[in-house]
Amino acid sequence: MQALLDHARSFHRQVADAGDTYRRLADGQSPQALVISCSDSRVVPAHITGARPGQIFELRNAGNIVPPRWAADASGEMATIEYALDVLGIRDVVVCGHSHCGAMSALASGRDLSLLPGVEAWLSLVRPVLAHRADGDGDGDPLERLVQLNVVHQLATLGSYPVVRRLLDGDDLRLHGWYYRVDTGVLHELGEDGAFAPH
Ligand SMILES: [Zn+2]
């Protein structure tokens, strides 16, 4: 932790050396995308995309979950999504799942989470995803399949938010599904055929 603390405490020197780059951030923001990803420390949207401060709006939580409407009215997720789309005018939304995801692994295992009531309640929001696992042909890594199904599920849930629905109906919003491999850095993108293809 000490190295992180030292870096943060001296960061202002880098900012001072960067000329106007950071000073201009005080004028406002117009990020190009909202990226909804897992909180996992190995998945850093700005790192993956090469985004600089001001370029992407991030929403991160355990399992890159978009709460369903009935659970979202007072959520940070819904507030962040509304702000990103309605106030900042963002027109591209990415939901990014990833390999080796602890949240999805816990969901798949069905393990007793009674000592982690917050995790248990949070993951219960996406339990419907489990029902779709058997729909595939059974090939491949089961966790990878679950993570990708979860991304598709979250994109569908996004579509139930009024602000998202309105923009989609007006053909004014693009939704993107990503699956990121933390061990190779390979990005798989959801295509119109419903499959995730690597780059
Ligand atoms: Zn994760």
Side-chain angles (χ1 to χ4, degrees), residues 5-112:
L5 203 51
D6 290 344
H7 189 278
R9 286 171 174 164
S10 62
F11 186 64
H12 64 92
R13 294 194 197 110
Q14 282 185 46
V15 171
D17 290 343
D20 270 351
T21 305
Y22 287 86
R23 219 174 355 257
R24 279 199 298 268
L25 294 176
D27 297 336
Q29 59 172 326
S30 52
Q32 299 163 31
L34 165 65
V35 181
I36 301 170
S37 77
C38 190
S39 300
D40 193 300
S41 62
R42 300 163 294 181
V43 182
V44 183
H47 190 61
I48 296 167
T49 59
R52 305 286 303 156
Q55 292 187 318
I56 61 172
F57 207 64
E58 293 185 24
L59 170 55
R60 303 183 64 178
N61 60 41
N64 42 273
I65 289 168
V66 178
R69 278 294 306 285
W70 58 264
D73 283 350
S75 76
E77 283 75 17
M78 193 169 189
T80 301
I81 291 163
E82 283 182 356
Y83 188 80
L85 303 186
D86 248 355
V87 180
L88 297 178
I90 291 173
R91 290 297 175 262
D92 284 273
V93 181
V94 175
V95 176
C96 179
H98 69 99
S99 66
H100 309 86
C101 182
M104 288 300 107
S105 181
L107 179 69
S109 72
R111 82 178 67 116
D112 178 15

